[in-house]
Amino acid sequence: MQEKISRIFKEKFGEPAGNIYASAGRINLIGEHTDYNGGFVFPGAIDKVIMAEIRPNDTDTVRVYSIDIEEYVEFGLREEDAPSQSWARYIFGICREIIKRGGTVRGFDTVFAGNVPLGAGLSSSAALESCFAFALNDLFNDNKIDKFELVLIGQATEHNYCGVNCGIMDQFASVFGKKDNLMRLDCRSREYEYFPFHPKGYKLVLVDSRVKHELADSPYNKRRESCERVARALGVETLRDADMDMLLNVKDKISDEDFNRAKFVIEEKERVLAVCDALLRDDYDTVGEKMYETHQGLSKDYEVSCEELDYLNDVARECGVTGSRIMGGGFGGCTINLVKDDLYDHFIKEATDRFEAKYGHKPQIYDVIISDGARRIS
Ligand code: GLA
């Protein structure tokens, strides 16, 4: 990918070469829809990245070529110059959010590409945001913007330019990711801890239903609103500060739907902590059990699954896979599966054949390699 980017950069913008940066997509072992509720998440960056070559151009204009979309866009750095192409708004948003915070962004030329599958729940958008946030901090700000601020810049881009009121998990994972480590992030205090992750005798594999999701068009924001309504009814800042007794006390004052959403979040918060403890004991049976519980909650209470993902989850269970669940925001994308080494081939074959027979297309399989997050490559 790097060679292709450099060749096309040279074709489009000539010499000299720019710097090359990359940032990663992410998985999340457990802790879904907890980030915007002040809870815990447990993600890691993966070996699929967005990579960009970038060179300042001494103007106020940003000139961008996307290799994958085969589209060229130019924009100025003022608010009224927002591009209409959704992919370019991520880069525009990052520039604006840095400027809003008093940082510096000047014009630049860039060519980028990626291998994070789009709409698969692996956070290709966070990888794009983090790649540019990291790069513009390096190129124009002497790396003075704190790394956590880069995460918030990515998140604000989603909120203000892309219509998704997401939490901070994806951008956090993309910026802070570390090879062979998952990270437990407390989204309220922003404290985080690296957990070495080498599940001996097991593989983590993603099965992508290839049902596409667009969080901006999906009821993602509605889920967040439900949680905020319940938090208000409880008189707490976020559902992090709620427990089941408190929730049962307001059951009559909130809708059944909101009750179920909040119930999932309260239970999920505990599951993350249980999984971290289990991992420290190499107790993968418990990890897997919690993953299935999360799937159940996301499907029945939070209602962000879909038929295809529920089917993949059923197939995993029937094959004796240790843990399986829908991953990410939902409404399509992947399941994440913790599979014993000796069951791996059988499971992949069953999932592929049975899914294809039922839905007419094969799911895509991705083996997960936990890798580094945002970085400068050259
Ligand atoms: C999306 C959002 C994240 C998080 C997950 C669900 O990936 O971008 O902030 O809420 O959904 O856990």
Side-chain angles (χ1 to χ4, degrees):
M1 180 166 33
Q2 190 177 339
E3 275 164 29
K4 187 169 181 191
I5 292 174
S6 292
R7 179 169 49 76
I8 296 180
F9 186 91
K10 199 167 156 190
E11 269 166 40
K12 302 268 169 212
F13 301 117
E15 305 261 22
N19 293 350
I20 301 209
Y21 299 89
S23 199
R26 62 106 188 86
I27 55 132
N28 184 29
L29 188 62
I30 200 151
E32 224 61 88
H33 291 275
T34 43
D35 56 356
Y36 53 82
N37 285 301
F40 299 95
V41 291
F42 201 28
I46 55 175
D47 62 329
K48 308 209 177 317
V49 298
I50 298 282
M51 192 181 281
E53 179 158 345
I54 310 182
R55 186 186 66 201
N57 62 15
D58 296 323
T59 71
D60 285 332
T61 303
V62 175
R63 308 194 294 172
V64 195
Y65 183 72
S66 161
I67 293 180
D68 302 324
I69 302 175
E70 296 181 356
E71 215 174 4
Y72 173 80
V73 167
E74 264 188 36
F75 59 79
L77 291 165
R78 292 163 312 161
E79 190 72 42
E80 54 272 26
D81 295 337
S84 56
Q85 292 85 342
S86 55
W87 64 268
R89 292 177 75 87
Y90 291 106
I91 303 171
F92 178 77
I94 292 295
C95 297
R96 291 299 314 163
E97 291 296 329
I98 292 179
I99 294 168
K100 261 190 216 168
R101 287 164 171 76
T104 303
V105 181
R106 287 188 285 273
F108 57 88
D109 298 338
T110 181
V111 168
F112 76 95
N115 56 8
V116 191
L118 299 179
L122 299 177
S123 293
S124 50
S125 58
L128 178 59
E129 290 149 10
S130 307
C131 178
F132 278 88
F134 185 91
L136 301 182
N137 188 27
D138 186 51
L139 283 167
F140 298 120
N141 296 280
D142 294 330
N143 288 305
K144 286 208 186 80
I145 307 173
D146 165 81
K147 261 176 112 181
F148 218 100
E149 198 62 32
L150 298 180
V151 171
L152 298 176
I153 284 169
Q155 184 197 26
T157 295
E158 294 277 354
H159 290 191
N160 299 333
Y161 298 93
C162 310
V164 182
N165 291 328
C166 63
I168 55 172
M169 168 170 74
D170 305 346
Q171 293 78 10
F172 170 80
S174 191
V175 171
F176 282 85
K178 183 164 142 189
K179 190 172 179 329
D180 296 332
N181 281 261
L182 296 179
M183 301 166 282
R184 184 177 70 195
L185 170 68
D186 177 336
C187 299
R188 180 173 63 185
S189 68
R190 296 183 185 158
E191 281 165 11
Y192 60 92
E193 202 180 325
Y194 287 100
F195 278 69
F197 185 67
H198 311 278
K200 224 170 157 244
Y202 292 83
K203 288 193 200 328
L204 261 191
V205 58
L206 303 177
V207 182
D208 183 359
S209 64
R210 293 162 64 200
V211 175
K212 291 289 171 211
H213 72 172
E214 279 284 344
L215 291 188
D217 296 336
S218 78
Y220 179 92
N221 293 349
K222 292 257 176 315
R223 297 296 182 280
R224 183 168 184 161
E225 285 161 22
S226 277
C227 296
E228 287 168 355
R229 259 197 309 275
V230 178
R232 275 197 299 278
L234 290 169
V236 294
E237 198 176 327
T238 63
L239 291 180
R240 167 67 178 274
D241 301 314
D243 59 26
M244 273 316 284
D245 288 343
M246 292 163 73
L247 184 63
L248 285 166
N249 273 334
V250 296
K251 195 168 192 310
D252 299 344
K253 300 198 189 83
I254 60 178
S255 68
D256 288 350
E257 194 177 273
D258 283 1
F259 178 87
N260 289 337
R261 308 290 193 243
K263 171 174 166 281
F264 166 78
V265 171
I266 290 168
E267 291 170 351
E268 182 72 352
K269 184 172 76 175
E270 295 305 322
R271 277 192 285 266
V272 183
L273 300 178
V275 161
C276 292
D277 284 351
L279 267 186
L280 292 174
R281 299 189 306 269
D282 287 336
D283 172 2
Y284 297 108
D285 287 336
T286 300
V287 174
E289 202 180 296
K290 297 289 164 194
M291 290 170 75
Y292 280 113
E293 284 176 23
T294 294
H295 184 88
Q296 193 66 11
L298 285 170
S299 178
K300 301 290 174 293
D301 293 332
Y302 219 65
E303 294 185 283
V304 294
S305 187
C306 60
E307 194 194 312
E308 291 86 344
L309 289 166
D310 286 346
Y311 185 67
L312 286 173
N313 188 258
D314 288 345
V315 173
R317 198 186 279 277
E318 284 162 27
C319 289
V321 167
T322 307
S324 175
R325 66 177 196 82
I326 178 174
M327 192 187 73
F331 313 105
C334 294
T335 57
I336 179 167
N337 303 275
L338 181 66
V339 191
K340 281 205 170 112
D341 285 341
D342 53 13
L343 200 65
Y344 180 85
D345 291 340
H346 171 70
F347 168 57
I348 297 302
K349 183 160 180 356
E350 281 287 294
T352 307
D353 292 351
R354 288 175 60 182
F355 189 89
E356 187 181 18
K358 196 166 163 72
Y359 296 108
H361 67 269
K362 283 194 170 59
Q364 187 77 42
I365 309 297
Y366 303 112
D367 290 317
V368 171
I369 301 175
I370 309 290
S371 305
D372 287 328
R375 58 200 184 269
R376 178 169 159 178
I377 291 181
S378 70

